[in-house]
Each structure stands twice: as C-alpha cells, then as structure tokens.
DNA sequence: ATAATAATTGACAGCGCTGGCAGAGTTGTA
DNA sequence: TACAACTCTGCCAGCGCTGTCAATTATTAT
C-alpha cells in the first residue's frame, strides 16, 4: 500500500483537499470540529505532506543553507565551531518544518563567489546563513546578494553595514572585560597576541584589549603586543619572544585559544608555572581549551544561539514575515578556568 | 524577469520539453546536434531545473541523510569525526546532483527510533548513511529498516550482518599492525587501554592488540590491560596505575586518542620522557593527536572516504542501480609521529 | 528497393500540493 | 425581516518537471 496523499485524507475526513491543506498549514478559518476530523484522518492514515509537491506549489523550498569556511580543509581544531553553528541552525529548522543544507567551502578559493552563486541557483534555498569569516568578505556578500536570496551574516566582529541583517557578538566588550579581569588580579604587564590580520573578529579583540587596559588604568605598551596568525605555532613563537625578556609579562591574553595553547606549551617548556608565574587567557572556548593543562580561561561565543537566531529570522522572512535588517548582538561569556590567577608578587 | 523554465528552453531550442529533459538528465538517444542546440539555449537562459518539480515528477528527493551521534552534545573533541564524515558524504552528493541533510542525534535517547522514523517519513530521503555508533545499535537499524528507505551502515568495527550493505574499517588488523610495530621497536611490555564497553570499534582494537602480540611472539598479560571509557580522564587514571608500578610498561597503546593524550599528560607530570622512556600510541587521529606534545602516533581512519562510498552506493541505488548488500572494508593507515620510539635499554 | 529494426522526438497525463476565488453558511445590525 | 459582514469550505487551475507511449525518421538487412 502506497503512502497516503492529501486526497486520501480529504476523502476519509469528508472534506475537500483544500481544507486538509488548511489544517496542515495552520491556516485560520477552519471550524474546530472540522479540524479535529481532519487531524484524526491524518493520524489514522499516517499522512505526511509531500515536500516536493508542497514546495512546487508554494514556491518555497523549505530549505535553509548554512555556508561556512570548512575547518577540515586545514586540519584545524575548530571543527567545534562548525558543529555548534550547525546545532543552532538545525534547531531553528527542526522547529519550523525546514531542513538545513550545509555548504562548507574555502574562503581562499578565488572562484568561491561563482561557486556559491551556482549553488544557490541550483538549490534555491529560502534563506542563507553566512558564517564568519565569509560573512566579512565583501565579494562573497556581494555574490550572494546578487542572487536575490535572503541571507543573514553571522560574525563575531561587529561591522557597520546597514544594508543586511546580521547577527554578531560583543567581541570588543568581552575582550575588554577579560582584560579588566586580568588587571583586577593585579597584573600590570598584560601582553596581547594579535591574530591573523584577515580575520576581523580578531581585530576587535585587540581593540577590546586596549579598552580594557584604559578602563583599568593600565597603560598600553606596544612592546607587549606580538603578532600571531591564529595558529598554535604562532602562539608558541610569540610566547618565546615575550617570555625570554628580562621583564616578562605576568599575563598573556591571546586573540584565540590556539595561540593561548601555544603559550601554555612554551611556558611549560621554559619551566614557567601557569598560573602561578604567568596567567594565560584565550578566546573562543574551543574544545582544546579544556584539554590543555591547566584548563584555559577564555571567552565563550554563543555560536549556536547566534546561528539559531539567524536561521529563524530567515524562516520568518520566507513566510512573508518581517524584513531583514539591522543587527542583533549576542553577549559572549567569560569562562574562568585554571590558567589565570593573581599576579606574582 | 522570472527564472527560465524547461518550456522556455524548449521554445528557444525549437524542441519539445521532453527533449530538454533528456539532455538535462543525460538520457540516451538524443542526436548530438540537437543536444548542442539545447545546451546552448540552457546557457543563454541560465536555466536551472527546478528541484521540487523534478522531485515531484520523478518520485525521488535527491536527498541523502547523514545520521550520526552528535558530539557537541557531550562537548567532546571528536567533532572532527563528524566533519570528516560530512565532508565525504558531501563529496558524493555534490558530484551527483544530490544534497546532503544532516541529522545529529543522541544515541542514548530512548525515543531515538521513533524520532528517526518520523524524520525519514517527513523528509523521504533517497538514502541514509548511518554512522557509528548508531550503526551498531540493533534497535536503530531496525527502526530505519522498517521505513523501507535504503540505508548504509558505516562503522569502524566490522560486524557480520549479511542483510544490509555496510562500510567498515579493518580496525582489528590495524591495531595488530600497531602492536607489531611497537614490538618491532623492541618493546616487550606493551600495555593496552580498553575503551567504553558499549563502543564496538574499541573491542575490535583490543582483539587486534592481542593478535599483534601473538604475531610478534610477545605473550599477552592481563596485568597490562587497563579499562578506560574513552575519555582523557580515564586515560590519565589508567596511566597512573600503569606507570606507578615497579616494572612499568615501556609502551602504552590506547584504544583511542583521547586516552592516549591522557597518558602523555600523566607521563609528563611524572617526569617520564616520551618517547625515550615510554612510547604512547593512540587510535583515531583526531585533531588533538597533533596538538599534544609529542605528537601522537596513531591510526587514521579513512572516514571521509567511507562516508563517500556509502553515499555513492545509495545514490546509485536510487537511480535504479545496484542492490545494496555485502560489505566494503576500508584500510586505516598508521600515522607514525613522535610519541613512539625504540624501547629503552 | 522494401520491409524490418533501431534511433530520435513529441504529446500528454499526471506527480501532490497551494493560491485565488467563488459559494455557502453564520452572525450581527437596523 | 432584511441586508451587510463575516466565517467557513470547495472548486479548479496551475507549479515545472518526468514517465509512458506513440509517431516520426534514420539505418540495416534482405
């Protein structure tokens, strides 16, 4: 026996297929008793609307696409970043009768704009969630915008761009908070490791660091800033420079967790006790943060919640709801663990 | 101007829509000159077939669903496992005009069978890739089988089950190889850390360890086996027991990388040099394996390739191709890094 | 050359659902 | 009581494509 169609349900409930459609889609103006009769028939026949037919007739795909830079392409550990985004976006989709399509890609790819354009034309999703760092790349944003498909940018760094709705994080404020926290522990020489210059979020963190110093009455010194590139290795390199000085810093705040892990590793090699002689803080709260010893004090991004909000906005928009505009800012939260402590006397 | 339909293409090429359909779907029996004319029209109109219409008419969804246990549910680091599976499955889909739907879930969930059944009835994918450990759970396999949707089990441990096609790994052989490798370095006291008893793959590794010992002429001793549960903590606990003995092992082979990382951490604390005084080997080659110091010798699973094969088989099957049956076994590969070396004199 | 066969093309009926609109039934109001 | 203003329901025309099958044309065998 083949699967039940809307016609079977209508027949069994003694109504027209249109009425069944109304019940299935929660449209108004159906008498409660009728509704109940239809629901009963649906249950009895185990009826499930056919997605293709529904999509064809309604001109909606019920598909949201999550586009992100593929971490496995570089064997970097931030797979967790992706998983958490997926989790949030999926939550929104599952709650709203949509499906999520994922599209990992490589931000360095010269032809990425064209690739995404083709993808979008093929799939025709109702909306697109564009994750950082792609969300901060003007050519990508432009390519997607050109397709006319609604999209939401999710980025850790805020960026003034009134044209598109975006979901972002208070990166700068949070870095300032972390800096103030370190200062409140008595640290005076707080170093900062900047990250990859192409990565916007990381710039905001540096600004936040400067804010925090100022707010704490600690003067900024360029000597205490080393430039990394987000990798563990670069964190090690920076740490070696900083920790081999006569007056070394008592705290190091890295723009991401990988570099912070590198700092911890170097401190260990040099016999510098963390946190007794050196406090180390990171940013991102990747899985590694809890795997290093001592566990890393860091900043946790509400990635899942951000992606969920983004997907939700798109779904509502596709239902003919609200316009997509403005910006939603999520608050990151400090995760104080074992790698930070009072400044040494 | 709205998007071009098959009708527009047909008109422009001066053929019937059916012929356009033939060209688009690579059906045989279309004259080359006609084909070229149609292709030209397609290019000029930037025509893309409508997925919904096509799916509706062809009774295929062009959707493959990847079902897996959600790592982010436990904050465990093996997000990389999922990412690699996704990558492989996506490759197959992208190459074959299909899309991938992901469905993370929790294997402990009592109602998981029902959840999956609902999902499948709603989405009606052309096929399902079922990842370990779900692929080894009889009730899940049964629930999915009951829907009638073709599925492929992907598991690291082999399992005799003639009924369904499955893609698996030579876990046991590979563990034996690793054990022989350690023995060949002169190690006589090679300890093994078993993993979570519910995790099938891990059992095979223990068997492989025993095989390897035997093949190397090293006698097995229950004293050298400690029971962990796959976590870093349990690896630490096991290592503490093993390394505090009067005659401690000179090599420790852990059933997964997390536990191996725990061993390295303990060795470090106890001042035991790795690999000079102790060789450590793991299994899985998660990102952490390269982040610990020294980098971990381990076994790399061809996860992406396995998932790709699985998805490919499903796609071919959905095209009316081959039956799904039997088993494909993939070979894992040893990754020899810095954590293993000659046995101390 | 002619019949038989194969290759190529087209006509058309759906696939299962939603949107628009009209008709029927109800309630409210003067 | 009559009429307007709702609320509820059904009819039907697609949505854009594929499957089936018949028609037409090219090729090969006799």
């Amino acid at each position: 026996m083949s699967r039940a169609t809307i016609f079977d349900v209508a027949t069994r409930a003694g109504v027209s297929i249109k009425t069944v459609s109304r019940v299935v889609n929660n449209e108004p103006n159906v008498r409660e008793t009728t509704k109940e009769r239809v629901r009963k028939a649906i249950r009895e026949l185990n009826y499930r609307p056919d997605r293709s037919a529904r999509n064809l007739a309604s001109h909606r795909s019920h598909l949201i696409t999550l586009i992100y830079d593929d971490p496995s392409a570089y064997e970097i550990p931030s797979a967790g970043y992706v998983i958490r985004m997926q989790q949030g976006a999926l939550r929104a989709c599952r709650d709203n009768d949509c499906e999520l399509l994922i599209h990992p890609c490589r931000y360095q790819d010269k032809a990425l704009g064209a690739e995404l354009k083709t993808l979008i034309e093929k799939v025709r999703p109702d909306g697109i969630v564009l994750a950082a760092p792609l969300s901060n790349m003007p050519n990508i944003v432009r390519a997607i915008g050109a397709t006319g498909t609604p999209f939401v940018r999710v980025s850790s760094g805020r960026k003034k761009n009134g044209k598109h709705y975006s979901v972002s994080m208070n990166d700068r404020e949070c870095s300032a908070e972390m800096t103030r926290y370190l200062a409140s522990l008595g640290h005076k020489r707080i170093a900062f490791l900047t990250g990859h210059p192409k990565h916007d979020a990381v710039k905001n963190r540096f600004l936040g660091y400067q804010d925090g110093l100022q707010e704490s009455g600690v003067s900024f010194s360029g000597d205490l800033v080393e430039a990394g590139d987000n990798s563990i290795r670069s964190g090690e390199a920076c740490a070696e420079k900083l920790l081999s000085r006569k007056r070394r810093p008592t705290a190091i705040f890295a723009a991401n967790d990988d570099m912070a892990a590198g700092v911890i590793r170097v401190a260990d090699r040099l016999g510098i006790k963390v946190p007794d002689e050196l406090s180390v803080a990171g940013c991102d709260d990747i899985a590694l943060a809890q795997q290093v010893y001592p566990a890393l004090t860091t900043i946790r991004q509400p990635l899942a919640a951000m992606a969920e909000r983004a997907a939700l906005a798109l779904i509502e928009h596709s239902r003919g709801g609200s316009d997509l505009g403005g910006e939603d800012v999520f608050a990151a939260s400090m995760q104080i663990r074992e790698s930070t402590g009072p400044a040494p006397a």
Side-chain angles (χ1 to χ4, degrees), chain A:
Chain A
M1 151 208 101
S2 156
R3 116 180 277 111
T5 73
I6 199 171
F7 184 79
D8 302 323
V9 176
T11 306
R12 183 169 195 117
V15 298
S16 73
I17 58 169
K18 181 63 203 182
T19 297
V20 176
S21 172
R22 288 199 181 90
V23 173
V24 169
N25 294 294
N26 285 315
E27 284 174 34
N29 298 338
V30 179
R31 195 168 314 177
E32 192 52 49
T33 56
T34 314
K35 237 181 221 167
E36 202 37 71
R37 226 163 358 119
V38 171
R39 288 211 198 89
K40 181 155 169 286
I42 289 178
R43 271 196 308 277
E44 289 168 354
L45 295 171
N46 190 33
Y47 166 72
R48 315 277 173 180
D50 182 285
R51 293 175 49 81
S52 304
R54 198 218 284 248
N55 293 345
L56 177 60
S58 67
H59 303 281
R60 287 178 49 199
S61 66
H62 292 267
L63 246 36
I64 297 292
T65 298
L66 172 63
I67 301 179
Y68 55 85
D69 183 53
D70 182 5
S72 63
Y74 332 104
E75 296 285 342
I76 59 174
S78 55
Y81 173 86
V82 167
I83 296 286
R84 281 160 62 194
M85 294 272 285
Q86 288 184 356
Q87 203 178 35
L90 268 171
R91 199 155 47 210
C93 289
R94 286 183 183 173
D95 291 349
N96 289 282
D97 196 26
C98 281
E99 299 296 333
L100 184 72
L101 246 40
I102 57 176
H103 191 84
C105 52
R106 307 180 183 212
Y107 77 89
Q108 307 99 322
D109 206 328
K110 215 48 195 156
L112 182 54
E115 174 189 327
L116 296 179
K117 198 150 167 287
T118 304
L119 166 83
I120 294 166
E121 286 174 348
K122 201 177 95 184
V123 170
R124 263 180 270 180
D126 289 341
I128 296 169
V129 178
L130 187 63
L134 302 171
S135 54
N136 290 321
M137 297 171 62
N139 58 325
I140 299 302
V141 171
R142 214 176 308 117
I144 295 182
T147 65
T149 306
F151 68 103
V152 177
R153 298 163 52 230
V154 175
S155 60
S156 16
R158 261 202 259 182
K159 199 151 187 183
K160 58 283 136 200
N161 186 332
K163 275 179 54 189
H164 307 111
Y165 175 54
S166 71
V167 174
S168 59
M169 227 184 57
N170 63 343
D171 235 322
R172 180 165 179 174
E173 289 77 0
C174 220
S175 297
E177 186 183 349
M178 177 67 84
T179 308
R180 290 200 306 272
Y181 161 72
L182 291 170
S184 76
L185 289 171
H187 295 280
K188 299 291 175 203
R189 290 191 303 286
I190 304 172
F192 189 82
L193 268 48
T194 62
H196 197 288
K198 284 241 172 178
H199 210 297
D200 271 10
V202 151
K203 287 188 212 158
N204 283 315
R205 292 171 192 168
F206 184 42
L207 293 175
Y209 159 74
Q210 292 170 283
D211 294 347
L213 286 182
Q214 188 169 6
E215 289 155 9
S216 308
V218 178
S219 62
F220 171 81
S221 156
D223 289 350
L224 288 172
V225 177
E226 289 288 340
D229 65 1
N230 290 14
S231 71
I232 296 192
R233 300 272 170 260
S234 75
E236 291 179 327
C238 293
E240 275 160 10
K241 282 190 221 160
L242 286 168
L243 297 178
S244 60
R245 300 196 185 161
K246 52 280 142 213
R247 289 195 81 217
R248 64 182 194 224
T250 63
I252 299 181
F253 179 17
N256 79 346
D257 284 349
D258 290 285
M259 294 193 293
V263 173
I264 287 187
R265 190 179 287 182
V266 168
D268 191 43
R269 278 212 283 277
L270 298 178
I272 299 173
K273 295 252 181 302
V274 175
D276 300 340
E277 301 171 76
L278 177 72
S279 284
V280 180
C283 197
D284 285 346
D285 199 22
I286 61 176
L288 182 61
Q290 300 195 55
Q291 289 159 7
V292 296
Y293 182 82
L296 201 56
T297 291
T298 185
I299 296 172
R300 184 183 181 87
Q301 308 176 317
L303 289 174
M306 292 167 72
E308 184 176 5
R309 169 73 58 85
L312 218 48
L314 289 164
I315 293 171
E316 274 165 16
H317 178 75
S318 80
R319 289 188 177 143
S322 55
D323 275 356
L324 290 175
E327 176 177 33
D328 267 328
V329 180
F330 279 67
S333 58
M334 285 188 45
Q335 303 290 316
I336 297 179
R337 292 201 268 255
E338 306 150 17
S339 68
T340 49

